Amino acid sequence: MRLNTLAFCTAMGSVLALATPPAMAQAPETPAGREALSVLQEAVAIPTVQGRGQVPVLAAKLKARLLDAGFAEDEVTFVPQGETGYLLARYPGRDRKAPVTAIIAHMDVVEAKPEDWERDPFTPVIEDGYLFGRGSLDNKAGLSIVTATMMKLRREGWVPAHDIVLGFSGDEETQMATTAAMATAIVHEAGKVDLVLNADSGHGSLDETGQPFVYEVQAGEKTYADYKLTLTDPGGHSSRPGATNAIAAMSAAMEKIWAYKFPVTVSPLTRAYFEGSVDAAPADVAPAMRALIADPTDAKAAATLSARPEYIGLIRTTCVPTMIEGGHAPNALPQSVSANVNCRIFPGTSRASVQETLAQVIADPEIAIAFQDNGTLESIESPLRADVMQAVEVAVHERAPGLSIVPGMSAGATDSMHFRSKGIPAFGVGAVFMKPTDAFAHGLNERLPLATLDPAVKQWETLLRTLLK
């Protein structure tokens, strides 16, 4: 892509294995693709959920693989931090004094209850062209693809222009304490870091026929925020209900928050995304994209895009109830109830202002609202870099000639924020291509199409060979 014109090419052209619908896809055929699958299966089988102490187990297996591929013992280090930790691996380049490039991913996953799943979430299952399991997409796919790529390059003796540092965090899904420590350690130990490539964001989107229609480079992300809402009441005997009930009042407040729609926002980054992807977008949403570009206040366009899970997070701040707890006995009126509201905040909007909005929406002064600090930071966008975008263009067009390549903003939070906060540009350049209707990260039946593995490893290899030649 040429940044000076933002002339996004929309010719689809011929596509490699991705033209085959995932249900018809075969297992990876290249050695590197098969290795990526092997790493992924091994990783999914290790339940790296907060509190289970399994991140060090996965890190040890990743380290063993890297050493087997030719990394030296002193180049790969695991740093424990509580029951988790982070893994660093240094890949030496020609100029050992030049600023380094960091490649990041995370090893942890969100909780999954086996009784809710059709298959055991921590047993990798291959079925109908997919690998099912918790983390198969978020982010053990990116982790495995990057690991397999780096192993391939090391075995082949490739030497980049300067050092590369792999950084795999261990609590991205929760407190991000390892992320913050990892970012500090990379900057302290590696010297100047002038670029971060994140495998946990950036992706290719396929339409329902399996054809790719856009590739998005993540250059920004929304701010993550949890708010705890609490209400207390004297309670009493359930046979003597009074005028108030804490659970009923909190339920009413949650209904108001669920129904509330934050104002539509269009930033330069999201405008560039819509402008670059509209010509190749599905026919049922392209008119809404054009209308929103022309008039961000177009309510009909906003409603159309909001109805699609892949677009709702790109046009406004969102807040949704995610957890609730209350009552102390089945035969007693509740004395307290609390709820968690999770918000993904559009860049440029403060967490404090969102808290004020929530208070206005529920309009109940008896309900206390408190921000829950979990280690995330308020969002900063990365200015686009020509060398990165041009290397992405080479890598993606090798895989899908003529595909539209656009900058974008993630609706979710990633480790990139801890590097951006240090003034280091970070870009999500993940190589997974899949249909939005197949994306079940954090949900039931999380899965990855096997067809993406071979071309994903090749995409990362071409990206690095082009960028660091």
Side-chain angles (χ1 to χ4, degrees):
M1 183 175 66
R2 300 293 181 258
L3 293 179
N4 57 338
T5 62
L6 287 178
F8 302 110
C9 182
T10 58
M12 298 305 297
S14 61
V15 183
L16 299 180
L18 292 174
T20 303
M24 299 172 58
Q26 303 299 314
E29 297 179 353
T30 67
R34 290 194 293 269
E35 191 149 50
L37 177 58
S38 175
V39 177
L40 179 58
Q41 290 174 304
E42 184 174 70
V44 169
I46 301 172
T48 51
V49 175
Q50 183 184 38
R52 300 198 194 183
Q54 292 298 296
V55 167
V57 176
L58 176 54
K61 291 184 178 295
L62 292 171
K63 178 176 180 178
R65 286 180 178 270
L66 292 171
L67 295 180
D68 182 66
F71 281 77
E73 179 71 37
D74 61 357
E75 291 173 343
V76 187
T77 305
F78 177 71
V79 181
Q81 192 163 332
E83 56 98 19
T84 182
Y86 59 91
L87 181 73
L88 296 178
R90 189 159 188 141
Y91 192 124
R94 296 190 299 275
D95 186 349
R96 303 302 307 276
K97 296 181 179 180
V100 308
T101 294
I103 300 175
I104 62 174
H106 66 88
M107 298 179 284
D108 62 311
V109 297
V110 299
E111 183 60 273
K113 295 182 178 180
E115 61 269 24
D116 295 339
W117 283 56
E118 297 176 15
R119 309 161 189 82
D120 181 81
F122 298 108
T123 299
V125 174
I126 292 177
E127 187 177 307
D128 296 330
Y130 297 90
L131 185 141
F132 290 83
R134 172 58 85 225
S136 56
L137 176 59
D138 185 11
N139 172 239
K140 289 177 177 177
L143 178 80
S144 302
I145 292 165
V146 164
T147 299
T149 303
M150 301 309 291
M151 292 169 65
K152 178 180 186 294
L153 291 171
R154 196 63 183 265
R155 289 189 181 116
E156 293 176 353
W158 177 67
V159 182
H162 54 252
D163 286 10
I164 299 171
V165 175
L166 296 180
F168 298 155
S169 64
D171 65 343
E172 189 268 358
E173 299 289 6
T174 53
Q175 298 300 312
M176 284 191 168
T178 64
T179 309
M182 181 180 77
T184 298
I186 290 176
V187 172
H188 175 72
E189 296 175 13
K192 183 175 176 57
V193 180
D194 68 349
L195 176 64
V196 172
L197 303 176
N198 192 347
D200 186 31
S201 57
H203 64 280
S205 294
L206 307 180
D207 64 21
E208 289 303 310
T209 70
Q211 296 288 339
F213 67 88
V214 70
Y215 179 83
E216 178 183 340
V217 177
Q218 188 232 53
E221 57 193 282
K222 297 175 85 174
T223 298
Y224 179 103
D226 284 313
Y227 300 91
K228 184 176 182 180
L229 282 67
T230 306
L231 178 62
T232 59
D233 189 86
H237 201 286
S238 61
S239 66
R240 304 177 63 185
T244 62
N245 182 289
I247 290 178
M250 185 63 78
S251 297
M254 294 300 100
E255 286 285 351
K256 291 178 179 178
I257 289 173
W258 174 248
Y260 179 74
K261 298 292 187 290
F262 282 80
V264 171
T265 304
V266 177
S267 72
L269 186 58
T270 55
R271 179 180 292 277
Y273 171 80
F274 286 126
E275 289 176 344
S277 60
V278 64
D279 289 341
D284 58 335
V285 297
M289 285 185 179
R290 291 190 178 94
L292 197 73
I293 293 169
D295 179 12
T297 66
D298 188 318
K300 183 179 179 180
T304 298
L305 294 174
S306 293
R308 299 283 293 251
E310 65 268 37
Y311 298 123
I312 183 172
L314 300 180
I315 65 172
R316 54 163 51 100
T317 293
T318 61
C319 289
V320 295
T322 55
M323 297 177 68
I324 192 165
E325 180 180 1
H328 59 284
N331 59 350
L333 298 175
Q335 295 175 348
S336 68
V337 61
S338 63
N340 187 84
V341 173
N342 179 257
C343 297
R344 305 303 175 113
I345 303 170
F346 212 91
T349 302
S350 71
R351 291 186 285 207
S353 69
V354 170
Q355 183 170 332
E356 292 174 1
T357 299
L358 293 177
Q360 293 168 3
V361 168
I362 65 174
D364 187 341
E366 299 300 316
I367 297 179
I369 305 177
F371 168 67
Q372 306 297 293
D373 188 357
N374 73 337
T376 60
L377 306 171
E378 294 199 345
S379 177
I380 301 173
E381 293 181 355
S382 295
L384 299 181
R385 271 181 45 169
D387 60 335
V388 174
M389 301 304 288
Q390 288 163 4
V392 168
E393 180 182 18
V394 171
V396 171
H397 284 177
E398 180 181 64
R399 176 179 187 172
L403 186 63
S404 296
I405 301 172
V406 299
M409 175 190 71
S410 290
T414 72
D415 285 337
S416 289
M417 70 175 71
H418 287 273
F419 292 89
R420 291 190 181 117
S421 70
K422 297 179 181 294
I424 303 170
F427 301 96
V429 291
V432 169
F433 277 50
M434 65 191 303
K435 296 182 291 185
T437 52
D438 280 337
F440 294 102
H442 293 202
L444 299 177
N445 300 315
E446 184 176 359
R447 59 198 184 192
L448 181 81
L450 297 179
T452 204
L453 289 174
D454 276 335
V457 173
K458 181 58 177 173
Q459 181 178 322
W460 267 102
E461 179 182 359
T462 299
L463 172 68
L464 295 176
R465 286 184 181 274
T466 303
L467 187 62
L468 303 178
K469 60 184 177 182

